[in-house]
Coordinates of all heavy atoms in Angstrom, one line a residue:
M1 N -82.4 61.3 0.7 CA -82.3 60.1 0.0 C -83.3 60.0 -1.2 O -83.0 59.6 -2.3 CB -82.4 58.9 0.9 CG -82.6 57.5 0.4 SD -81.5 57.1 -0.9 CE -82.5 56.0 -1.8
E2 N -84.6 60.4 -0.9 CA -85.6 60.4 -1.9 C -85.2 61.1 -3.2 O -85.6 60.7 -4.3 CB -86.9 60.9 -1.3 CG -87.6 59.9 -0.4 CD -87.9 58.6 -1.1 OE1 -88.5 58.6 -2.2 OE2 -87.7 57.5 -0.4
H3 N -84.5 62.2 -3.0 CA -84.0 63.0 -4.1 C -83.2 62.2 -5.1 O -83.2 62.4 -6.3 CB -83.3 64.2 -3.6 CG -82.6 65.1 -4.6 ND1 -83.3 65.9 -5.5 CD2 -81.3 65.1 -5.0 CE1 -82.5 66.5 -6.3 NE2 -81.3 66.0 -6.1
F4 N -82.4 61.3 -4.6 CA -81.4 60.5 -5.4 C -82.0 59.1 -5.8 O -81.4 58.5 -6.6 CB -80.1 60.3 -4.6 CG -79.4 61.5 -4.4 CD1 -79.2 62.0 -3.1 CD2 -78.9 62.3 -5.4 CE1 -78.5 63.2 -2.9 CE2 -78.2 63.4 -5.2 CZ -78.0 63.9 -3.9
K5 N -83.1 58.8 -5.3 CA -83.7 57.4 -5.6 C -83.8 57.2 -7.1 O -83.5 56.1 -7.6 CB -85.0 57.3 -4.9 CG -85.6 55.9 -5.0 CD -86.9 55.7 -4.2 CE -87.5 54.3 -4.4 NZ -88.7 54.2 -3.6
P6 N -84.4 58.1 -7.9 CA -84.5 57.9 -9.3 C -83.2 57.6 -10.0 O -83.1 56.8 -10.9 CB -85.1 59.2 -9.9 CG -85.8 59.8 -8.7 CD -85.0 59.4 -7.5
V7 N -82.1 58.2 -9.5 CA -80.8 58.0 -10.1 C -80.3 56.6 -9.7 O -79.8 55.8 -10.6 CB -79.7 59.0 -9.6 CG1 -78.3 58.7 -10.1 CG2 -80.2 60.4 -10.1
L8 N -80.5 56.2 -8.5 CA -80.0 54.9 -8.0 C -80.7 53.8 -8.7 O -80.2 52.7 -8.9 CB -80.1 54.8 -6.5 CG -79.1 55.8 -5.8 CD1 -79.4 55.7 -4.3 CD2 -77.7 55.4 -6.1
I9 N -82.0 53.9 -8.9 CA -82.8 52.8 -9.5 C -82.7 52.8 -11.0 O -83.3 51.9 -11.7 CB -84.3 52.8 -9.1 CG1 -85.0 54.1 -9.6 CG2 -84.3 52.7 -7.5 CD1 -86.5 54.1 -9.2
S10 N -82.0 53.8 -11.6 CA -81.9 53.9 -13.1 C -81.1 52.9 -13.8 O -81.2 52.6 -15.0 CB -81.5 55.3 -13.5 OG -80.1 55.5 -13.2
S11 N -80.1 52.2 -13.0 CA -79.2 51.3 -13.7 C -80.0 50.0 -14.0 O -80.9 49.6 -13.3 CB -78.0 51.0 -12.8 OG -78.4 50.0 -11.8
S12 N -79.6 49.4 -15.1 CA -80.2 48.2 -15.6 C -80.0 47.1 -14.5 O -80.9 46.2 -14.3 CB -79.7 47.7 -16.9 OG -78.3 47.6 -16.9
W13 N -78.8 47.1 -13.9 CA -78.5 46.0 -12.9 C -79.5 46.2 -11.7 O -80.2 45.2 -11.3 CB -77.1 46.2 -12.3 CG -76.9 45.3 -11.1 CD1 -76.6 44.0 -11.1 CD2 -77.0 45.7 -9.8 NE1 -76.5 43.6 -9.8 CE2 -76.8 44.6 -9.0 CE3 -77.3 46.9 -9.1 CZ2 -76.8 44.6 -7.6 CZ3 -77.4 47.0 -7.8 CH2 -77.1 45.8 -7.0
F14 N -79.7 47.4 -11.2 CA -80.5 47.6 -10.0 C -82.0 47.3 -10.4 O -82.7 46.7 -9.7 CB -80.4 49.0 -9.5 CG -81.0 49.2 -8.1 CD1 -80.3 48.8 -7.0 CD2 -82.3 49.7 -8.0 CE1 -81.0 49.0 -5.7 CE2 -82.9 49.8 -6.8 CZ -82.2 49.5 -5.7
S15 N -82.4 47.8 -11.5 CA -83.8 47.7 -11.9 C -84.2 46.2 -12.2 O -85.4 45.9 -12.2 CB -84.2 48.6 -13.1 OG -83.4 48.3 -14.2
S16 N -83.2 45.4 -12.5 CA -83.5 44.0 -12.7 C -83.7 43.2 -11.4 O -84.1 42.0 -11.5 CB -82.4 43.3 -13.6 OG -81.2 43.2 -12.8
L17 N -83.4 43.8 -10.3 CA -83.5 43.1 -9.0 C -85.0 43.0 -8.6 O -85.8 43.9 -9.0 CB -82.8 43.8 -7.9 CG -81.3 43.9 -8.0 CD1 -80.8 44.8 -6.9 CD2 -80.7 42.5 -7.9
P18 N -85.4 42.0 -7.9 CA -86.8 41.9 -7.4 C -87.1 43.2 -6.6 O -86.2 43.7 -5.9 CB -86.9 40.7 -6.6 CG -85.7 39.9 -7.0 CD -84.6 40.8 -7.5
E19 N -88.3 43.6 -6.6 CA -88.7 44.9 -5.9 C -88.3 44.8 -4.4 O -87.9 45.8 -3.8 CB -90.1 45.2 -6.1 CG -90.5 46.5 -5.5 CD -92.0 46.9 -5.8 OE1 -92.6 46.2 -6.6 OE2 -92.4 47.9 -5.2
Y20 N -88.6 43.6 -3.7 CA -88.3 43.5 -2.3 C -86.8 43.7 -2.0 O -86.4 44.3 -1.0 CB -88.7 42.2 -1.7 CG -87.8 41.0 -2.0 CD1 -86.8 40.7 -1.1 CD2 -87.9 40.3 -3.2 CE1 -85.9 39.6 -1.4 CE2 -87.1 39.2 -3.4 CZ -86.1 38.9 -2.5 OH -85.2 37.9 -2.8
L21 N -85.9 43.3 -2.9 CA -84.5 43.4 -2.8 C -84.1 44.9 -3.0 O -83.2 45.5 -2.3 CB -83.7 42.5 -3.7 CG -82.2 42.4 -3.4 CD1 -81.9 42.1 -2.0 CD2 -81.6 41.3 -4.3
Q22 N -84.7 45.5 -4.0 CA -84.4 47.0 -4.3 C -84.8 47.8 -3.0 O -84.0 48.6 -2.6 CB -85.3 47.5 -5.4 CG -84.9 47.0 -6.8 CD -85.8 47.5 -7.9 OE1 -86.4 48.6 -7.7 NE2 -85.9 46.8 -9.0
N23 N -85.9 47.5 -2.4 CA -86.3 48.2 -1.2 C -85.4 47.9 -0.1 O -85.1 48.9 0.7 CB -87.8 47.9 -0.9 CG -88.8 48.4 -1.9 OD1 -88.5 49.3 -2.6 ND2 -89.9 47.7 -2.0
E24 N -84.9 46.7 0.1 CA -84.0 46.4 1.1 C -82.7 47.1 1.0 O -82.2 47.7 2.0 CB -83.7 44.8 1.1 CG -83.1 44.3 2.3 CD -83.9 44.2 3.5 OE1 -85.2 44.2 3.4 OE2 -83.3 44.3 4.6
L25 N -82.2 47.2 -0.2 CA -80.9 47.9 -0.5 C -81.1 49.4 -0.3 O -80.3 50.1 0.4 CB -80.4 47.6 -1.9 CG -79.8 46.3 -2.1 CD1 -79.6 46.0 -3.6 CD2 -78.5 46.1 -1.3
L26 N -82.2 50.0 -0.8 CA -82.4 51.4 -0.6 C -82.6 51.8 0.8 O -82.3 52.9 1.3 CB -83.6 51.8 -1.5 CG -83.4 51.9 -3.0 CD1 -84.6 52.1 -3.7 CD2 -82.3 52.8 -3.4
G27 N -83.2 50.9 1.6 CA -83.4 51.1 3.0 C -82.0 51.2 3.8 O -82.0 51.7 4.9
K28 N -81.0 50.7 3.2 CA -79.7 50.7 3.9 C -78.8 51.8 3.4 O -77.6 51.9 3.9 CB -79.0 49.3 3.7 CG -79.8 48.2 4.4 CD -79.1 46.9 4.4 CE -79.8 45.8 5.0 NZ -80.3 46.0 6.4
V29 N -79.2 52.6 2.5 CA -78.4 53.6 1.9 C -78.0 54.7 2.9 O -78.9 55.1 3.7 CB -79.1 54.3 0.7 CG1 -78.5 55.6 0.3 CG2 -79.2 53.4 -0.5
R30 N -76.8 55.1 2.9 CA -76.3 56.1 3.8 C -75.5 57.1 2.8 O -74.5 56.7 2.2 CB -75.3 55.6 4.9 CG -75.9 54.6 5.8 CD -77.1 55.2 6.6 NE -77.7 54.2 7.4 CZ -78.9 53.6 7.1 NH1 -79.5 54.0 6.0 NH2 -79.4 52.7 7.9
L31 N -76.0 58.3 2.7 CA -75.3 59.2 1.8 C -74.0 59.7 2.4 O -73.8 60.0 3.5 CB -76.2 60.5 1.6 CG -77.5 60.2 0.9 CD1 -78.4 61.4 0.8 CD2 -77.3 59.6 -0.5
K32 N -73.0 59.8 1.5 CA -71.7 60.3 1.8 C -71.4 61.3 0.7 O -71.6 61.0 -0.5 CB -70.6 59.2 1.8 CG -70.7 58.3 2.9 CD -69.5 57.4 2.9 CE -69.4 56.5 4.1 NZ -68.2 55.7 4.2
H33 N -70.9 62.5 1.1 CA -70.6 63.5 0.1 C -69.1 63.6 0.0 O -68.4 63.7 1.1 CB -71.2 64.9 0.5 CG -72.7 64.8 0.6 ND1 -73.4 65.0 -0.6 CD2 -73.5 64.6 1.6 CE1 -74.7 64.9 -0.2 NE2 -74.8 64.6 1.0
F34 N -68.5 63.7 -1.2 CA -67.1 63.8 -1.4 C -66.8 65.1 -2.2 O -67.5 65.4 -3.2 CB -66.6 62.6 -2.1 CG -66.6 61.4 -1.3 CD1 -67.7 60.5 -1.4 CD2 -65.6 61.0 -0.5 CE1 -67.8 59.4 -0.7 CE2 -65.7 59.8 0.2 CZ -66.8 59.0 0.2
K35 N -65.8 65.8 -1.8 CA -65.4 67.0 -2.6 C -64.5 66.6 -3.7 O -63.9 65.5 -3.7 CB -64.6 68.0 -1.7 CG -65.5 68.5 -0.5 CD -64.6 69.4 0.4 CE -65.5 69.9 1.5 NZ -64.7 70.6 2.5
A36 N -64.4 67.4 -4.7 CA -63.5 67.2 -5.8 C -62.1 66.8 -5.4 O -61.6 67.5 -4.5 CB -63.5 68.3 -6.8
G37 N -61.6 65.7 -5.8 CA -60.2 65.3 -5.4 C -60.2 64.4 -4.2 O -59.2 63.8 -3.9
Q38 N -61.3 64.4 -3.4 CA -61.3 63.6 -2.1 C -61.3 62.1 -2.5 O -62.1 61.7 -3.4 CB -62.5 64.0 -1.3 CG -62.6 63.4 0.0 CD -63.8 63.8 0.9 OE1 -64.5 64.7 0.5 NE2 -63.9 63.2 2.0
Q39 N -60.6 61.3 -1.7 CA -60.5 59.9 -2.0 C -61.6 59.1 -1.2 O -61.8 59.4 0.0 CB -59.1 59.4 -1.6 CG -58.1 59.8 -2.6 CD -56.7 59.2 -2.3 OE1 -56.6 58.5 -1.3 NE2 -55.8 59.4 -3.2
L40 N -62.2 58.2 -1.9 CA -63.0 57.2 -1.2 C -62.2 56.0 -0.8 O -62.4 55.4 0.3 CB -64.1 56.8 -2.2 CG -64.9 55.5 -1.9 CD1 -65.8 55.8 -0.6 CD2 -65.8 55.1 -3.0
H41 N -61.2 55.7 -1.6 CA -60.4 54.5 -1.3 C -59.0 54.8 -1.9 O -58.9 55.2 -3.1 CB -61.0 53.3 -1.9 CG -60.2 52.1 -1.8 ND1 -60.1 51.3 -0.6 CD2 -59.3 51.5 -2.6 CE1 -59.2 50.3 -0.8 NE2 -58.8 50.4 -2.0
A42 N -57.9 54.6 -1.2 CA -56.6 54.8 -1.7 C -55.9 53.5 -2.0 O -56.2 52.4 -1.3 CB -55.7 55.6 -0.7
K43 N -55.1 53.5 -3.0 CA -54.3 52.3 -3.4 C -53.6 51.7 -2.2 O -53.0 52.4 -1.4 CB -53.3 52.7 -4.5 CG -52.5 51.5 -5.0 CD -51.5 52.0 -6.1 CE -50.7 50.8 -6.5 NZ -49.9 51.2 -7.7
G44 N -53.7 50.4 -2.0 CA -53.1 49.7 -0.9 C -53.9 49.6 0.3 O -53.6 48.8 1.2
E45 N -55.0 50.3 0.4 CA -55.9 50.2 1.6 C -56.8 49.0 1.5 O -57.1 48.5 0.4 CB -56.8 51.4 1.7 CG -56.2 52.7 2.1 CD -57.2 53.8 2.2 OE1 -58.3 53.7 1.6 OE2 -56.8 54.8 2.8
D46 N -57.2 48.4 2.6 CA -58.2 47.4 2.7 C -59.5 48.1 2.5 O -59.6 49.3 2.8 CB -58.2 46.7 4.0 CG -57.1 45.7 4.2 OD1 -56.5 45.3 3.1 OD2 -56.7 45.4 5.3
G47 N -60.5 47.4 1.9 CA -61.8 48.1 1.7 C -62.9 47.1 1.6 O -62.7 46.1 0.9
V48 N -64.0 47.5 2.1 CA -65.2 46.7 2.0 C -66.4 47.7 1.9 O -66.4 48.6 2.7 CB -65.5 45.7 3.1 CG1 -66.8 45.1 3.0 CG2 -64.4 44.7 3.2
G49 N -67.2 47.6 0.9 CA -68.3 48.5 0.8 C -69.1 48.3 -0.5 O -68.5 47.8 -1.5
F50 N -70.3 48.7 -0.5 CA -71.2 48.6 -1.7 C -71.7 50.0 -1.9 O -72.3 50.6 -1.0 CB -72.3 47.6 -1.4 CG -73.1 47.3 -2.6 CD1 -72.6 46.8 -3.8 CD2 -74.5 47.6 -2.6 CE1 -73.3 46.5 -4.9 CE2 -75.3 47.3 -3.7 CZ -74.7 46.7 -4.8
Y51 N -71.4 50.6 -3.1 CA -71.7 52.0 -3.4 C -72.5 52.2 -4.6 O -72.4 51.5 -5.6 CB -70.3 52.7 -3.5 CG -69.4 52.6 -2.4 CD1 -68.5 51.6 -2.2 CD2 -69.5 53.6 -1.4 CE1 -67.7 51.5 -1.1 CE2 -68.7 53.5 -0.2 CZ -67.8 52.5 -0.1 OH -67.0 52.4 1.0
G52 N -73.3 53.3 -4.6 CA -74.0 53.7 -5.7 C -73.7 55.2 -5.9 O -73.7 56.0 -4.9
I53 N -73.4 55.6 -7.1 CA -73.1 57.0 -7.4 C -74.4 57.8 -7.7 O -75.1 57.5 -8.6 CB -72.1 57.2 -8.5 CG1 -70.8 56.4 -8.1 CG2 -71.8 58.6 -8.8 CD1 -69.8 56.3 -9.2
C54 N -74.6 58.9 -6.9 CA -75.8 59.7 -7.1 C -75.6 60.9 -8.0 O -76.5 61.2 -8.8 CB -76.3 60.2 -5.8 SG -76.8 58.9 -4.6
E55 N -74.5 61.5 -7.9 CA -74.2 62.7 -8.8 C -72.7 62.8 -8.8 O -71.9 62.3 -8.0 CB -74.8 63.9 -8.2 CG -74.3 64.4 -6.9 CD -75.1 65.6 -6.3 OE1 -76.0 66.1 -7.0 OE2 -74.7 66.1 -5.3
G56 N -72.2 63.5 -9.8 CA -70.8 63.7 -10.0 C -70.1 62.5 -10.7 O -70.8 61.6 -11.2
R57 N -68.8 62.4 -10.6 CA -68.1 61.3 -11.2 C -67.1 60.8 -10.2 O -66.6 61.5 -9.4 CB -67.3 61.8 -12.4 CG -68.2 62.4 -13.5 CD -68.6 61.3 -14.5 NE -69.4 61.9 -15.6 CZ -70.6 61.6 -15.8 NH1 -71.3 60.9 -15.0 NH2 -71.3 62.2 -16.8
L58 N -66.8 59.5 -10.4 CA -65.8 58.9 -9.5 C -64.7 58.4 -10.4 O -64.9 57.7 -11.4 CB -66.4 57.7 -8.7 CG -65.5 57.1 -7.7 CD1 -65.2 58.0 -6.5 CD2 -66.1 55.8 -7.2
R59 N -63.4 58.8 -10.2 CA -62.3 58.4 -11.0 C -61.7 57.2 -10.4 O -61.4 57.1 -9.2 CB -61.3 59.5 -11.0 CG -61.8 60.8 -11.7 CD -60.8 61.9 -11.5 NE -59.4 61.6 -11.4 CZ -58.6 61.6 -12.5 NH1 -59.0 61.9 -13.6 NH2 -57.3 61.3 -12.3
V60 N -61.4 56.2 -11.2 CA -60.6 55.0 -10.7 C -59.3 55.1 -11.4 O -59.2 55.0 -12.6 CB -61.3 53.7 -11.1 CG1 -60.6 52.5 -10.6 CG2 -62.8 53.6 -10.6
T61 N -58.2 55.2 -10.6 CA -56.9 55.4 -11.2 C -55.9 54.5 -10.5 O -56.1 53.9 -9.5 CB -56.4 56.9 -10.9 OG1 -56.3 57.1 -9.5 CG2 -57.3 57.9 -11.5
T62 N -54.7 54.4 -11.2 CA -53.6 53.7 -10.7 C -52.3 54.4 -11.2 O -52.4 55.3 -12.0 CB -53.6 52.2 -11.1 OG1 -52.6 51.5 -10.4 CG2 -53.3 52.0 -12.6
I63 N -51.2 54.0 -10.7 CA -49.9 54.6 -11.1 C -49.3 53.6 -12.1 O -49.1 52.5 -11.8 CB -49.0 54.8 -9.9 CG1 -49.7 55.7 -8.9 CG2 -47.7 55.5 -10.4 CD1 -50.1 57.1 -9.4
G64 N -48.9 54.2 -13.3 CA -48.3 53.4 -14.3 C -46.8 53.1 -14.0 O -46.3 53.7 -13.1
V65 N -46.2 52.3 -14.8 CA -44.8 51.9 -14.6 C -43.9 53.1 -14.7 O -42.8 53.1 -14.1 CB -44.3 50.8 -15.6 CG1 -45.0 49.5 -15.2 CG2 -44.5 51.2 -17.0
D66 N -44.3 54.2 -15.4 CA -43.5 55.4 -15.6 C -43.8 56.4 -14.5 O -43.2 57.5 -14.5 CB -43.7 56.0 -16.9 CG -45.1 56.5 -17.1 OD1 -46.0 56.3 -16.2 OD2 -45.4 57.2 -18.2
G67 N -44.7 56.0 -13.5 CA -45.0 56.9 -12.4 C -46.1 57.9 -12.6 O -46.5 58.6 -11.7
S68 N -46.7 57.9 -13.8 CA -47.8 58.8 -14.1 C -49.1 58.1 -13.7 O -49.3 56.9 -13.7 CB -47.8 59.2 -15.5 OG -48.0 58.1 -16.4
E69 N -50.1 59.0 -13.4 CA -51.4 58.5 -13.1 C -52.1 58.0 -14.3 O -52.1 58.6 -15.4 CB -52.2 59.6 -12.4 CG -53.6 59.2 -12.0 CD -54.4 60.3 -11.4 OE1 -54.9 61.2 -12.2 OE2 -54.6 60.3 -10.2
M70 N -52.7 56.8 -14.2 CA -53.5 56.3 -15.3 C -55.0 56.2 -14.9 O -55.3 55.6 -13.9 CB -53.0 54.9 -15.7 CG -51.5 54.8 -16.2 SD -50.9 53.2 -16.4 CE -52.2 52.4 -17.3
L71 N -55.8 56.7 -15.8 CA -57.3 56.6 -15.5 C -57.8 55.2 -16.0 O -57.6 54.9 -17.2 CB -58.0 57.7 -16.3 CG -59.5 57.8 -16.1 CD1 -59.9 58.0 -14.6 CD2 -60.1 58.8 -17.0
L72 N -58.3 54.4 -15.1 CA -58.8 53.1 -15.5 C -60.3 53.2 -15.8 O -60.8 52.4 -16.7 CB -58.6 52.1 -14.3 CG -57.2 51.9 -13.9 CD1 -57.2 51.0 -12.6 CD2 -56.4 51.3 -15.0
A73 N -61.1 54.0 -15.1 CA -62.5 54.1 -15.4 C -63.0 55.5 -14.8 O -62.4 56.0 -13.9 CB -63.3 53.0 -14.7
L74 N -64.1 55.9 -15.4 CA -64.8 57.1 -14.9 C -66.2 56.7 -14.7 O -66.9 56.4 -15.7 CB -64.6 58.3 -15.9 CG -65.1 59.6 -15.5 CD1 -64.3 60.1 -14.3 CD2 -65.0 60.6 -16.6
L75 N -66.6 56.6 -13.4 CA -68.0 56.2 -13.1 C -68.9 57.3 -12.8 O -68.5 58.3 -12.2 CB -67.9 55.3 -11.9 CG -66.9 54.1 -11.9 CD1 -66.8 53.4 -10.6 CD2 -67.1 53.2 -13.1
G76 N -70.1 57.2 -13.3 CA -71.1 58.3 -13.1 C -72.3 57.9 -12.4 O -72.5 56.8 -11.9
P77 N -73.3 58.9 -12.3 CA -74.6 58.6 -11.7 C -75.3 57.4 -12.1 O -75.3 57.1 -13.3 CB -75.4 59.9 -12.0 CG -74.3 60.9 -12.2 CD -73.2 60.2 -12.9
G78 N -75.8 56.6 -11.2 CA -76.5 55.4 -11.5 C -75.6 54.2 -11.5 O -76.1 53.0 -11.6
T79 N -74.3 54.4 -11.4 CA -73.3 53.3 -11.3 C -73.2 52.7 -9.9 O -73.1 53.4 -9.0 CB -71.9 53.7 -11.8 OG1 -72.0 54.3 -13.1 CG2 -71.0 52.6 -11.8
W80 N -73.3 51.4 -9.8 CA -73.1 50.7 -8.5 C -71.8 49.9 -8.6 O -71.5 49.4 -9.7 CB -74.3 49.7 -8.3 CG -75.6 50.3 -8.0 CD1 -76.5 50.8 -9.0 CD2 -76.1 50.6 -6.8 NE1 -77.6 51.3 -8.3 CE2 -77.4 51.2 -7.0 CE3 -75.7 50.3 -5.5 CZ2 -78.2 51.6 -5.9 CZ3 -76.6 50.7 -4.4 CH2 -77.8 51.3 -4.7
F81 N -71.1 49.9 -7.5 CA -69.8 49.1 -7.5 C -69.6 48.6 -6.1 O -70.1 49.1 -5.1 CB -68.7 49.9 -8.1 CG -68.3 51.1 -7.2 CD1 -67.3 51.0 -6.3 CD2 -69.0 52.3 -7.4 CE1 -66.9 52.1 -5.5 CE2 -68.6 53.4 -6.6 CZ -67.6 53.3 -5.7
C82 N -68.7 47.6 -6.0 CA -68.4 47.0 -4.7 C -66.9 47.0 -4.5 O -66.1 46.8 -5.4 CB -68.9 45.6 -4.8 SG -68.7 44.7 -3.2
L83 N -66.5 47.3 -3.2 CA -65.2 47.1 -2.8 C -65.2 46.0 -1.8 O -65.8 46.0 -0.8 CB -64.7 48.4 -2.0 CG -64.5 49.7 -2.8 CD1 -64.1 50.8 -1.8 CD2 -63.5 49.5 -3.9
L84 N -64.6 44.9 -2.3 CA -64.6 43.7 -1.4 C -63.3 43.0 -1.6 O -63.0 42.4 -2.7 CB -65.8 42.7 -1.8 CG -65.8 41.4 -1.0 CD1 -66.0 41.7 0.5 CD2 -67.0 40.6 -1.5
Y85 N -62.4 43.1 -0.7 CA -61.1 42.5 -0.8 C -60.9 41.4 0.2 O -61.1 41.5 1.4 CB -60.0 43.6 -0.5 CG -60.1 44.7 -1.5 CD1 -60.2 46.0 -1.0 CD2 -60.1 44.5 -2.8 CE1 -60.3 47.1 -1.8 CE2 -60.2 45.6 -3.7 CZ -60.3 46.9 -3.2 OH -60.4 47.9 -4.0
T86 N -60.7 40.2 -0.4 CA -60.5 39.0 0.4 C -59.1 38.5 0.4 O -58.8 37.5 1.1 CB -61.5 37.9 0.0 OG1 -61.3 37.7 -1.4 CG2 -62.9 38.4 0.2
S87 N -58.2 39.0 -0.4 CA -56.9 38.5 -0.5 C -56.0 39.5 0.2 O -56.3 40.6 0.4 CB -56.4 38.3 -1.9 OG -56.2 39.6 -2.5
P88 N -54.8 39.0 0.7 CA -53.9 39.9 1.4 C -53.0 40.8 0.4 O -52.2 41.6 0.9 CB -53.0 38.9 2.1 CG -53.0 37.6 1.3 CD -54.4 37.6 0.7
S89 N -53.2 40.6 -0.9 CA -52.4 41.4 -1.8 C -52.8 42.9 -1.8 O -53.9 43.2 -1.5 CB -52.5 40.8 -3.2 OG -53.8 41.0 -3.7
P90 N -51.8 43.8 -2.1 CA -52.1 45.2 -2.1 C -53.1 45.6 -3.2 O -53.2 44.9 -4.2 CB -50.7 45.8 -2.5 CG -49.7 44.8 -2.3 CD -50.4 43.4 -2.4
R91 N -53.9 46.6 -2.9 CA -54.9 47.1 -3.8 C -54.2 47.9 -4.9 O -53.3 48.7 -4.6 CB -56.0 47.9 -3.1 CG -56.6 47.2 -1.9 CD -57.2 45.9 -2.3 NE -57.2 45.1 -1.1 CZ -56.7 43.8 -1.0 NH1 -56.1 43.3 -2.0 NH2 -56.7 43.2 0.1
D92 N -54.7 47.8 -6.1 CA -54.0 48.4 -7.3 C -54.6 49.7 -7.8 O -54.1 50.2 -8.7 CB -53.9 47.4 -8.4 CG -53.0 46.2 -8.1 OD1 -52.1 46.4 -7.3 OD2 -53.3 45.2 -8.7
A93 N -55.7 50.2 -7.1 CA -56.3 51.4 -7.7 C -56.7 52.3 -6.5 O -56.9 51.9 -5.4 CB -57.6 51.0 -8.5
T94 N -56.9 53.6 -6.9 CA -57.4 54.6 -6.0 C -58.7 55.1 -6.6 O -58.9 55.3 -7.8 CB -56.4 55.8 -6.0 OG1 -55.2 55.3 -5.4 CG2 -56.9 57.0 -5.2
L95 N -59.7 55.4 -5.8 CA -61.0 55.9 -6.2 C -61.1 57.3 -5.6 O -61.0 57.4 -4.4 CB -62.1 55.0 -5.7 CG -62.2 53.7 -6.4 CD1 -61.4 52.6 -5.7 CD2 -63.7 53.2 -6.5
S96 N -61.4 58.3 -6.4 CA -61.5 59.7 -5.9 C -62.5 60.4 -6.7 O -62.8 60.0 -7.9 CB -60.2 60.4 -5.9 OG -59.7 60.4 -7.2
R97 N -63.1 61.5 -6.2 CA -64.1 62.3 -6.9 C -63.3 63.3 -7.7 O -62.3 63.8 -7.4 CB -65.0 63.0 -5.9 CG -66.0 63.9 -6.7 CD -67.3 63.9 -6.0 NE -68.3 64.4 -7.0 CZ -68.9 65.6 -6.7 NH1 -68.8 66.2 -5.6 NH2 -69.7 66.0 -7.6

């Protein structure tokens, strides 16, 4: 974890948090490694989680009306994001490395 700490604290969002909260969040970090193409979350799945990207890229995609994959975002190191679904509607995006 210490190896990735500089990356995780590099975002303006994270660095703007009070130090006690930064330490609290970093104390709860659990590293997960994903291979290229492996999904973190698939379209339609329920999901809850708070994530920070340490290395590599995370693709956020959906399927367009013509059936082709559409890239919505490409997230990189230092990016934090949350999966929090509170409605019963289907999820519209897939997240994969």
Side-chain angles (χ1 to χ4, degrees):
M1 169 48 211
E2 285 300 313
H3 173 75
F4 295 115
K5 187 176 178 179
V7 175
L8 293 174
I9 65 175
S10 69
S11 80
S12 58
W13 169 82
F14 191 85
S15 62
S16 70
L17 296 173
E19 188 175 349
Y20 79 91
L21 190 50
Q22 290 181 24
N23 293 332
E24 194 70 28
L25 287 171
L26 290 173
K28 296 188 182 301
V29 167
R30 302 295 174 259
L31 293 177
K32 288 186 174 185
H33 298 275
F34 294 90
K35 296 177 182 174
Q38 185 178 357
Q39 290 184 353
L40 166 67
H41 176 78
K43 181 177 178 175
E45 289 180 342
D46 287 337
V48 174
F50 188 59
Y51 301 89
I53 300 173
C54 297
E55 63 184 5
R57 300 271 184 245
L58 187 69
R59 297 167 35 90
V60 182
T61 61
T62 193
I63 303 299
V65 293
D66 65 354
S68 64
E69 182 180 77
M70 295 175 47
L71 180 65
L72 301 175
L74 189 59
L75 309 177
T79 303
W80 290 84
F81 65 97
C82 181
L83 295 176
L84 178 60
Y85 301 126
T86 56
S87 71
S89 63
R91 308 305 155 231
D92 292 332
T94 295
L95 288 89
S96 60
R97 177 145 195 245

